[in-house]
Amino acid sequence: MLLAMAGKLYTPVRLPGVHTLLLRLTLVILLLCVTVLGLYWEGGLIDKETGRPARFLDCVYFTFVTITTVGYGDIVPVGTGPRLADAFLLTPVRFIVIFMFFGTAYQLIIKRFQEDYRMKRAVDKLHDHVIVCGYGATGRAAIQELLLQGTPADQIVVLATSEASLKDAADLGVVSVSGDAAHESVLKSVAIDRVAHVLICPGRDDTAVLIALTVRDLNPQAQVIAMCHEAENVKLLERSGANVIISPAAAGGNLMAAATRQAHSHLVETMQDILSVGGALQLDERAVRPEEIGKRPGEIQGAAVMRVYRDGDYFDVPDLPMLKEGDTIVFVASGTAYNA
């Protein structure tokens, strides 16, 4: 439970801040002051012990014991006017104060326990999950692709600090947690010890390096996939323990250069289709299936094999070997077959 508190599960309903609490307290004080002044101006309150009319402090005392429903009965309204004032002034004020008190108590105490319980339940379900550190255009596209590939939404965790980002991620149905992914306590709160993949895309390379170091220290077995914006920082991410490093600048530069070969570059159009979520073509990889062992890559139905990985080495299209058990193939397939 203590670890769950390190990262807060996002919900659109937020706890009241200091400004809201001060505003509510001010409203209660104003209501009490108006009520006391109204009773003092109206008169008609009698002290049953002495028989004298109630003084100002007596009106303050009567207001508090009446609104809190204590009602000792030592000071009572006498006459029609004071009794109507008690019925039509004190009763609404009493309900307003009580509702405001219980509403604040619910948000500050009960709501917090509910959030902790929801956080604990969400974390308990996580196993071999995916943590996405940072939620921008890259993080959103990665999550959409993961969902398209069949990753359960409750096994995808987004760590971000922006409320707008958290709300957008929550709308996708994934687990959204408010917290800094570079902090150990936040990573521990989302079961970093049981994670399978960590996607790091915070928007800054120095932050990505720090997150990668923290993740690798907490879970040496996790596959760390990091986004790198500057080519000079690739080595830093490699040393920090990132297994896979994606450089959008290099990829974008290659596509831009390819676009200069012809007036209308079919290569760029095809690559954009392959890289787009839900495109007509999809690039993927998988292990060779038992029925495919002994076949040539070109004999696999519905997939164009681009590369075969075997024992730490790989074979490109001109040298594709006969498939063996344990091989991994990288292939291009139609979006329909891919999504099926």
Side-chain angles (χ1 to χ4, degrees), residues 20-285:
T20 303
L21 293 176
L22 290 176
L23 183 63
R24 294 179 184 180
L25 180 61
T26 302
L27 179 60
V28 170
I29 293 174
L30 287 175
L31 283 174
L32 294 176
C33 290
V34 169
T35 303
V36 170
L37 292 175
L39 292 174
Y40 183 70
W41 174 78
E42 174 66 28
L45 292 179
I46 301 298
D47 188 331
K48 291 178 63 177
E49 184 178 349
T50 62
R52 59 175 174 76
R55 293 174 294 185
F56 180 78
L57 292 179
D58 295 327
C59 292
V60 174
Y61 166 77
F62 176 78
T63 299
F64 275 88
V65 298
T66 304
I67 286 179
T68 56
T69 68
V70 176
Y72 292 110
D74 49 349
I75 297 179
V76 295
V78 177
T80 304
R83 289 173 179 168
L84 289 176
D86 179 75
F88 293 103
L89 177 62
L90 279 174
T91 300
V93 171
R94 179 188 301 120
F95 282 111
I96 291 174
V97 172
I98 290 175
F99 287 153
M100 196 170 296
F101 171 78
F102 280 109
T104 303
Y106 168 77
Q107 287 185 291
L108 289 177
I109 302 173
I110 301 175
K111 185 68 174 177
R112 186 177 296 275
F113 278 113
Q114 286 181 337
E115 291 300 307
D116 292 346
Y117 177 70
R118 290 182 63 240
M119 182 71 182
K120 186 177 184 302
R121 286 192 61 189
V123 171
D124 287 344
K125 294 179 181 178
L126 297 176
H127 187 76
D128 290 335
H129 53 293
V130 180
I131 297 177
V132 181
C133 304
Y135 186 83
T138 302
R140 180 180 175 85
I143 291 171
Q144 289 177 327
E145 181 69 18
L146 288 169
L147 294 173
L148 186 65
Q149 293 176 4
T151 304
D154 61 359
Q155 294 300 309
I156 301 175
V157 180
V158 173
L159 290 177
T161 55
S162 167
E163 182 170 343
S165 297
L166 291 165
K167 183 180 184 302
D168 188 69
D171 290 340
L172 294 177
V174 302
V175 181
S176 304
V177 178
S178 175
D180 188 346
H183 292 169
E184 286 190 10
S185 58
V186 175
L187 290 172
K188 289 179 179 178
S189 73
V190 291
I192 186 64
D193 58 316
R194 303 195 301 269
V195 75
H197 309 280
V198 179
L199 278 55
I200 303 176
C201 45
R204 290 174 55 98
D205 289 348
D206 54 348
T207 305
V209 170
L210 181 57
I211 295 174
L213 286 169
T214 308
V215 170
R216 186 55 68 211
D217 180 62
L218 296 175
N219 188 340
Q221 285 74 42
Q223 185 186 37
V224 178
I225 304 164
M227 181 70 68
C228 183
H229 296 83
E230 300 292 336
E232 61 187 14
N233 295 325
V234 171
K235 290 184 178 179
L236 291 176
L237 279 167
E238 288 177 346
R239 293 170 185 169
S240 67
N243 302 101
V244 179
I245 301 171
I246 309 296
S247 178
N254 292 337
L255 288 177
M256 292 180 70
T260 65
R261 298 176 187 173
Q262 297 185 35
H264 181 76
S265 178
H266 299 291
L267 174 62
V268 174
E269 182 178 323
T270 302
M271 288 301 299
Q272 288 177 332
D273 190 33
I274 289 176
L275 296 174
S276 299
V277 175
L281 296 174
Q282 294 292 331
L283 182 66
D284 199 5
E285 66 175 280

